[in-house]
Amino acid sequence: MLTATMPDWSALQPGFDDPVHDAQGVFRAVLDALARPGQLRQVGQRLGHSDEASIAARATLLALADATTPVWLQSPLGEVASALRFHTGAPLLSGEAGLAQAQFALLTDPASCPALERFAFGTAESPEHSATLIVDVPALSVGHTGDGLHLLHLLHLRLRGPGIQTHADVTVGGLDAAFWQARAALASRFPAGLDLLIAAGDTVLGLPRTTHVEVC
């Protein structure tokens, strides 16, 4: 549902230093990440720290969201919500009722991700009417790394599909095998589906609906 509370400007986080130039740079980096799954792209170096969400997740939303794109927040994030309202004018959604209306969704507790089929998928005729999930995770790297495997709940993933020459290996923390199995179950709905942007620190990994993900 649409939130009706008044903004808390005392929690407002600064936006980009150069709103137009920086937003364009992040936008290009995100598009490049989606075009080349398996390659990390840096975004949001000019944003300050927040305990609520990573630099990459916040920068991505600041660059992509506007007054016409409802954003669903998994948690009540005061700083993020205030920044989105002030800098983008995006309508903010929350709760189960808002899932199907969101064009973007910020997941800051991926272990408690709602069922993926609750989000907007678009249709075969209009696949663009679907949600992009921005998933904030504690660890993200290229290749199969083993450091902290247990503590960070890391999974080794192998990616295949358009934009990947043969395959690409990545390591992602905070998303268990059940999440990737649920995503794989959506493949039959193509060209409808969900696109993912995995964010950690100041880097983002693009996983469009065309990318096949195998848990290694």
Side-chain angles (χ1 to χ4, degrees):
M1 59 183 295
L2 286 169
T3 56
T5 56
M6 292 296 293
D8 179 10
W9 301 124
S10 65
L12 180 63
Q13 285 280 306
F16 295 121
D17 288 349
D18 184 339
V20 174
H21 181 268
D22 292 346
Q24 289 175 343
V26 172
F27 183 79
R28 287 192 297 268
V30 168
L31 289 185
D32 193 46
L34 288 168
R36 295 172 173 82
Q39 298 185 26
L40 303 187
R41 292 293 178 260
Q42 285 192 317
V43 295
Q45 296 92 329
R46 298 188 181 186
L47 285 182
H49 172 78
S50 171
D51 292 328
E52 294 185 347
S54 69
I55 290 175
R58 290 180 289 122
T60 298
L61 279 173
L62 287 176
L64 300 185
D66 60 33
T68 68
T69 58
V71 176
W72 184 82
L73 300 179
Q74 183 182 18
S75 305
L77 309 175
E79 291 178 356
V80 172
S82 295
L84 285 173
R85 288 191 185 100
F86 184 82
H87 297 294
T88 73
L92 301 186
L93 310 172
S94 62
E96 293 291 316
L99 292 173
Q101 304 173 47
Q103 188 161 342
F104 298 106
L106 174 59
L107 302 174
T108 48
D109 183 12
S112 301
C113 177
L116 295 181
E117 58 267 21
R118 299 292 304 279
F119 293 98
F121 278 88
T123 63
E125 296 75 20
S126 300
E128 71 279 6
H129 295 159
S130 61
T132 297
L133 308 188
I134 300 165
V135 188
D136 222 351
V137 298
L140 177 62
S141 61
V142 171
H144 288 173
T145 59
D147 293 343
L149 189 67
H150 174 68
L151 293 178
L152 293 176
H153 304 287
L154 301 181
L155 280 183
H156 296 158
L157 307 177
R158 177 153 290 176
L159 315 179
R160 292 185 173 89
I164 305 171
Q165 187 169 6
T166 55
H167 67 268
D169 294 332
V170 297
T171 300
V172 179
L175 287 168
D176 60 19
F179 175 89
W180 299 108
Q181 292 165 0
R183 179 186 179 274
L186 305 178
S188 62
R189 303 195 185 192
F190 185 83
L194 298 172
D195 299 318
L196 306 182
L197 291 166
I198 312 297
D202 66 352
T203 60
V204 65
L205 170 73
L207 292 178
R209 66 196 71 179
T210 54
T211 301
H212 172 76
V213 177
E214 173 190 352
V215 178
C216 299

